[in-house]
Amino acid sequence: MKILICFGTRPEAIKMAPLFHELKKNNNFDIKLCVTAQHRKMLDQVLTFFEILPDYDLNLMKENQTLNNLCATILSEFDKILINVNPDLVLVHGDTTTSSMVALASFHRNIKVGHVEAGLRTYNKLAPFPEEINRQITGRIADYHFTPTLLSKQNLINEGVSEETILVSGNTVIDALIWAKQKLESGYSNKQLLDFKSFENKKFILVTGHRRENFGQGYLDFCEALLQIANINEVDIIFPVHLNPNVQKPVYELLGKNKYIHLLEPVEYPIMVWLLDKCSLIISDSGGIQEEAPTFNKHVLVTREVSERSEGVDKGFSTLVGTNKELIVEKANYFLKNVFKSNASNPYGDGEASKKIVEYLLKLNA
C-alpha cells in the first residue's frame, strides 16, 4: 500500500511523527511524507527532533496570509503532489487548514483519506475557529477514522459514520510524549534546555496561547489576569509566545516589563515536554497540552469557553476559564496553593496509538 502522509503545523508534526516511524518499520507500506509548512520554523524544530526528512516540502508559510489564500494554495500545490505520488491512501491529522484542504484535494482525485485524531467536536463553528469546521470537513471526507477516545467515536456514529470505519486508537500525542521523555532521560540536551535548569526546583506557571477566537479583548483580559497572578503570588510565569502578531503585540506590550513573567520565542518540543514535567500549573488554550498534561499529573486552566477535549475536564485534569479575568485569577490562586493530584489515568491514550493504527491498516492491505 502506498501511503502519503501530509501535515503542516507543529502540533500535527508532533502527533504524526510516531505514526510515521511506525509505518516506516513495515515493509508492507511505501511511505511518502509531504509538509505544507503552514508553520515553518516551529515545524522544522519538530522534524529535526524526531529525525524526519520530508519527501516533499511545499513551504507555504507567508506572513499574515489569509485563510482563504492558504486554502487555495494548499489545494493547488498539493494536487501536484497527488499526481506525482498517486497514493492508495492519504493520512491527515486533526483540525488544521492543511488537514481539511489536503483531504478535499484527495477526495477530488478519488483517493481514500485516513483521519488521525478524528471525531472531536464542540459543535460551535466559531470555537475553536477555524478548527472546528476544518475537523468536521475532514471528518465528512475521510474513509477511515482514528479516534482518540470512545466519546469521539460516538460523535462520528451520531453523524452517520459507519462504525466499521472507526478505530479507537488513543491519541498519538501520548506516543510522541513517551518518545520525547525517553530521549530526555537518555541524556538529550541542548543550549536552550540548559537555560531552563535554573527553574528546575522552582514553582512556576507554564502559559501558552494562540486561539483566534481570543484575539482582541480576550487577549487583553488574559494578559491582565497573568499580571495579577504573577504579582499576587510572586510566582514565575514562563510564556513561550506564539509568532502570530495578534498574540505578540498585546503580550509584549502588557507583560514585557514584569519581573516575574518570562516571555520567550516558541520553544522546541523537548523543552516544552520538560516544562510540562516541571511546572506547577498550566494556563493554555492548546488542545495538545490538554492531552499531554494528564501524563504529568498537571492541571490545565483552559482559556476557552468550550473544549472538544471534554474527557480531561470530566476527569478533573482541566478547568474551562475562558478569558474571564476574575475566574483565571481565582482558579490560578487556588491551584498554586493546593497541589493538584489525580489517580486517574490519561484519558487520551496509553502510548500504543500508532501501533494500533498500523495494525488496522495492515488488515486493510491484506
Side-chain angles (χ1 to χ4, degrees), residues 88-135:
D88 301 300
L89 176 68
V90 171
L91 287 177
V92 297
H93 184 280
D95 60 9
T96 67
T97 302
T98 288
S99 65
S100 59
M101 291 302 101
V102 164
L104 183 58
S106 303
F107 170 70
H108 287 161
R109 290 281 174 187
N110 200 27
I111 295 169
K112 291 188 180 298
V113 174
H115 188 194
V116 181
E117 197 185 80
L120 281 70
R121 297 287 187 270
T122 66
Y123 294 108
N124 178 345
K125 69 180 183 180
L126 298 179
F129 174 87
E131 289 86 357
E132 175 68 12
I133 292 301
N134 284 340
R135 196 185 291 274

Side-chain angles (χ1 to χ4, degrees), residues 231-291:
N231 292 330
I232 291 169
N233 297 280
E234 297 184 345
V235 64
D236 286 299
I237 292 177
I238 295 179
F239 189 170
V241 186
H242 197 277
L243 297 177
N244 191 307
N246 293 292
V247 177
Q248 294 254 328
K249 188 173 186 295
V251 167
Y252 278 95
E253 284 182 359
L254 291 175
L255 306 180
K257 295 181 180 179
N258 187 280
K259 64 181 180 180
Y260 298 112
I261 300 176
H262 309 272
L263 303 179
L264 314 169
E265 288 191 2
V267 297
E268 297 175 23
Y269 176 62
I271 313 301
M272 181 59 72
V273 172
W274 188 90
L275 292 170
L276 286 167
D277 187 26
K278 302 299 181 184
C279 71
S280 302
L281 175 66
I282 303 163
I283 304 175
S284 177
D285 58 17
S286 163
I289 284 178
Q290 290 175 65
E291 295 157 347

Side-chain angles (χ1 to χ4, degrees), residues 59-269:
N59 196 26
L60 301 184
M61 178 67 177
K62 293 179 183 177
E63 190 173 346
N64 278 335
Q65 67 184 330
T66 67
L67 288 173
N68 285 338
N69 179 259
L70 178 61
C71 287
T73 307
I74 291 172
L75 276 173
S76 173
E77 294 302 312
F78 187 70
D79 191 47
K80 299 171 187 176
I81 307 301
L82 289 173
I83 294 169
N84 184 270
V85 177
N86 191 27
D88 301 300
L89 176 68
V90 171
L91 287 177
V92 297
H93 184 280
D95 60 9
T96 67
T97 302
T98 288
S99 65
S100 59
M101 291 302 101
V102 164
L104 183 58
S106 303
F107 170 70
H108 287 161
R109 290 281 174 187
N110 200 27
I111 295 169
K112 291 188 180 298
V113 174
H115 188 194
V116 181
E117 197 185 80
L120 281 70
R121 297 287 187 270
T122 66
Y123 294 108
N124 178 345
K125 69 180 183 180
L126 298 179
F129 174 87
E131 289 86 357
E132 175 68 12
I133 292 301
N134 284 340
R135 196 185 291 274
Q136 290 195 34
I137 289 170
T138 306
R140 297 308 299 168
I141 292 169
D143 300 277
Y144 309 108
H145 311 260
F146 306 111
T147 71
T149 66
L150 284 168
L151 176 60
S152 45
K153 174 184 177 179
Q154 189 59 50
N155 287 338
L156 292 173
I157 291 172
N158 293 346
E159 294 171 11
V161 174
S162 170
E163 189 169 359
E164 294 179 357
T165 65
I166 304 171
L167 171 71
V168 180
S169 60
N171 201 310
T172 55
V173 74
I174 310 304
D175 305 21
L177 199 60
I178 291 170
W179 171 304
K181 282 181 68 177
Q182 290 173 344
K183 196 162 183 176
L184 285 167
E185 288 165 1
S186 68
Y188 174 87
S189 187
N190 60 22
K191 183 181 183 301
Q192 193 177 42
L193 185 57
L194 292 173
D195 290 341
F196 285 102
K197 287 296 184 180
S198 61
F199 290 98
E200 189 161 13
N201 298 310
K202 294 175 68 175
K203 179 180 283 192
F204 69 88
I205 301 171
L206 174 62
V207 172
T208 75
H210 71 282
R211 293 288 179 188
R212 290 171 185 265
E213 64 265 31
N214 288 341
F215 290 171
Q217 189 60 47
Y219 257 92
L220 297 177
D221 292 342
F222 167 62
C223 289
E224 289 179 10
L226 294 179
L227 281 173
Q228 287 190 37
I229 293 163
N231 292 330
I232 291 169
N233 297 280
E234 297 184 345
V235 64
D236 286 299
I237 292 177
I238 295 179
F239 189 170
V241 186
H242 197 277
L243 297 177
N244 191 307
N246 293 292
V247 177
Q248 294 254 328
K249 188 173 186 295
V251 167
Y252 278 95
E253 284 182 359
L254 291 175
L255 306 180
K257 295 181 180 179
N258 187 280
K259 64 181 180 180
Y260 298 112
I261 300 176
H262 309 272
L263 303 179
L264 314 169
E265 288 191 2
V267 297
E268 297 175 23
Y269 176 62

